[in-house]
Amino acid sequence: MKQTNFLETAANRKNKPLAARMAPSSFEEFVGQDNIVGDGKLLRCSIEADNLGSVIFFGPPGTGKSALARIVASKTKTYFEEANAVTTSTADVRKIIETAKARTEMSGRKTILMLDEIHHFNRSQQDALLLDVERGVITLIGITTENPFFYINAAIISRSTVFEFQSLSQKALLYIMESALKDKENGLGTYKVKMSKEAREHLLMNACGDARKLLNALEIGVLSAEVDGEGIKIFDIGVAQESMQKRAVLYDRSGDAHYDHISAFIKSMRGTDPDAAVYWMAKMLVAGEDPRFIARRIIICASEDVGMADPGALTLAISALNAVQFVGMPEARIILAQAAIYVACAPKSNASYMAVEQALSEVKNGKAR
C-alpha cells in the first residue's frame, strides 16, 4: 500500500529534477544490483512477500538504495515512514516509535522506518532505535554511503541484514540514460537530441557508477544545448564537459588506454620516478578509475619490484588499500599519492619474484620428487 507521502500531482513531479522523476517505482524499472534483487534473490523475495526484516543498504551514491526502499513502500501493507538522520533528532525518533506502538496496538499494522544517511546518527541516537527494532515495533531500513561496520552500532547490525550496493556498470548507466532520453512523460523525450559518441562516453565514464550524477548532467546538458536549424539539440563533447564540469581525458577503462596508463604508472614506480608515478595516478583518477584498482597495483609493485629491499613497502601499500576503502574519494587520492611516492622512492629488489618463478619452473619441469 503506497502511503500519502509518496503521492504527488503531475505538476509537482514535473518540477522535480530528472533523477527524481526517473526514479524506478517497480522491480521492472530498477536497474542494477542483480546480485541482491535479481529474480529469486532473498531480498527481492522478502519484499514481494511483504515479509521484510530490518536491513541496512550501503554503497556509493546513486546506486539505487533509496529507490529500492521506496519500492518497498509501494509493495508493503505496512505503514512506511521516511526520515533523514541529518535533520531528525532523538526526540523525533521517539515520537515515530511511540506512534508506531500506538498504530500496532490499535490496528495491528506495523511500521517500516526508512532512515536515510543513518551514519549521521551518533551512538546514543542509534541506541534509541535498538530496543524497538529488536521487539519488532519498527522495521528499520537504514541507508548509508559509509561502511556500516564502522559507523553503525554492532547491536543494530546484528539485528539487521546488510546489503552492499555496487557502483552501476556503464551498461546499466547507458540503459538509464537512453530511457531518460526516450521517456516523454518523466524524462527528456519531448526534446530532439543528437548526442555525439564522445559526449556519451564522457558522461558514462565520469558518472563513476552514479545514476543520479549522470541524470543531473544529462538534464543540464539537454536544457542548455544549442538547437540547430532543424530544431535538434546538439549534445557534443563541449556540452558534456560543461554539464559534468569535468574536462575530457583520453582514457578508456575497458580499452588500450587503460593498460597503457597503468603500465606507465607501474614503470614510473619501478624506475624510481615519483613525479611521473603521481602524474599517471592523477590522470587515471580524473578519468574515473577505481582507486582500489590503483591501490592493488601499488601492492603488487611493492612486492614484485621493492620486495626484500624494503619489506615495509608492502605493509604500507596494504594499509593504503584499507585506508582507501575506509575513507573513499576524494581524500583517498592523498593516500594513494603517499603510497605511490613511497614505493617509487624505495630501493628495489626483485629477488622474491625471481625466486618463486624459478621454483615454479622447477616444479613444472624438474624431476618428480
Side-chain angles (χ1 to χ4, degrees):
M1 181 175 181
K2 189 176 286 190
Q3 303 304 324
T4 55
N5 54 328
F6 288 96
L7 298 177
E8 57 187 355
T9 65
N12 287 339
R13 186 168 182 83
K14 186 177 180 180
N15 290 328
K16 286 186 172 183
L18 177 63
R21 301 198 307 270
M22 291 300 298
S25 58
S26 66
F27 281 118
E28 289 69 31
E29 297 175 358
F30 193 87
V31 179
Q33 316 308 332
D34 289 341
N35 58 315
I36 57 176
V37 293
D39 288 335
K41 295 296 183 180
L42 171 66
L43 180 57
R44 181 164 180 171
C45 291
S46 298
I47 294 171
E48 291 179 331
D50 196 6
N51 190 32
L52 184 69
S54 290
V55 293
I56 303 293
F57 295 163
F58 87 98
T63 53
K65 301 183 296 296
S66 297
L68 184 58
R70 294 188 178 105
I71 290 176
V72 174
S74 71
K75 291 184 172 293
T76 184
K77 296 178 181 178
T78 304
Y79 185 86
F80 194 91
E81 185 86 38
E82 182 174 348
N84 190 297
V86 174
T87 57
T88 302
S89 65
T90 304
D92 294 328
V93 171
R94 289 184 179 136
K95 185 177 179 180
I96 291 170
I97 291 172
E98 289 304 316
T99 303
K101 287 179 181 177
R103 185 181 298 113
T104 302
E105 291 172 359
M106 292 174 61
S107 64
R109 194 178 181 195
K110 294 183 178 180
T111 299
I112 292 177
L113 171 61
M114 176 188 127
L115 187 56
D116 203 358
E117 300 189 81
I118 189 174
H119 57 275
H120 283 288
F121 263 12
N122 60 36
R123 297 294 175 179
S124 61
Q125 287 175 304
Q126 292 181 32
D127 286 340
L129 293 166
L130 181 58
L131 185 59
D132 293 290
V133 168
E134 185 174 26
R135 291 175 174 174
V137 174
I138 57 170
T139 298
L140 176 67
I141 300 179
I143 297 177
T144 176
T145 55
E146 304 292 343
N147 189 327
F149 298 101
F150 290 111
Y151 288 92
I152 299 177
N153 289 2
I156 290 181
I157 292 289
S158 70
R159 290 161 177 79
S160 309
T161 305
V162 178
F163 293 96
E164 181 177 5
F165 285 59
Q166 303 292 334
S167 295
L168 296 177
S169 66
Q170 290 204 8
K171 181 179 179 182
L173 290 174
L174 178 61
Y175 177 87
I176 291 169
M177 182 166 67
E178 290 178 340
S179 298
L181 288 170
K182 293 176 183 176
D183 192 323
K184 293 185 178 181
E185 182 179 354
N186 298 315
L188 302 166
T190 56
Y191 298 96
K192 294 180 180 179
V193 181
K194 183 178 181 181
M195 182 181 291
S196 70
K197 179 182 178 182
E198 293 78 13
R200 183 175 65 250
E201 291 178 349
H202 183 74
L203 292 183
L204 294 174
M205 180 177 294
N206 288 289
C208 300
D210 183 334
R212 188 183 298 109
K213 184 177 181 180
L214 172 71
L215 291 174
N216 287 343
L218 180 65
E219 183 175 29
I220 292 170
V222 169
L223 295 180
S224 62
E226 294 184 359
V227 180
D228 68 7
E230 298 178 354
I232 298 174
K233 285 183 170 283
I234 305 302
F235 201 124
D236 57 18
I237 185 62
V239 174
Q241 290 179 114
E242 287 294 319
S243 302
M244 276 286 184
Q245 286 296 293
K246 204 165 190 179
R247 185 172 65 88
V249 176
L250 182 58
Y251 186 79
D252 180 1
R253 281 188 286 177
S254 62
D256 291 340
H258 167 85
Y259 298 103
D260 291 343
H261 281 64
I262 198 63
S263 177
F265 175 60
I266 293 169
K267 287 177 180 176
S268 298
M269 290 189 292
R270 183 179 294 153
T272 315
D273 190 344
D275 291 337
V278 173
Y279 169 80
W280 292 113
M281 182 202 78
K283 192 173 181 184
M284 288 187 287
L285 289 175
V286 168
E289 184 59 80
D290 186 343
R292 295 172 298 180
F293 171 76
I294 298 173
R296 288 194 290 269
R297 304 313 301 182
I298 295 174
I299 290 174
I300 293 169
C301 189
S303 182
E304 181 177 345
D305 298 297
V306 177
M308 298 307 296
D310 183 357
L314 179 57
T315 301
L316 184 137
I318 293 172
S319 296
L321 174 60
N322 292 333
V324 164
Q325 294 178 139
F326 177 68
V327 173
M329 290 292 286
E331 291 81 1
R333 73 192 192 284
I334 306 167
I335 298 163
L336 289 172
Q338 179 183 350
I341 291 169
Y342 186 96
V343 170
C345 294
K348 305 298 190 291
S349 169
N350 66 350
S352 297
Y353 171 80
M354 295 302 297
V356 72
E357 286 298 302
Q358 291 174 16
L360 288 170
S361 177
E362 178 66 22
V363 169
K364 293 176 182 177
N365 304 315
K367 294 180 181 180
R369 296 180 184 276

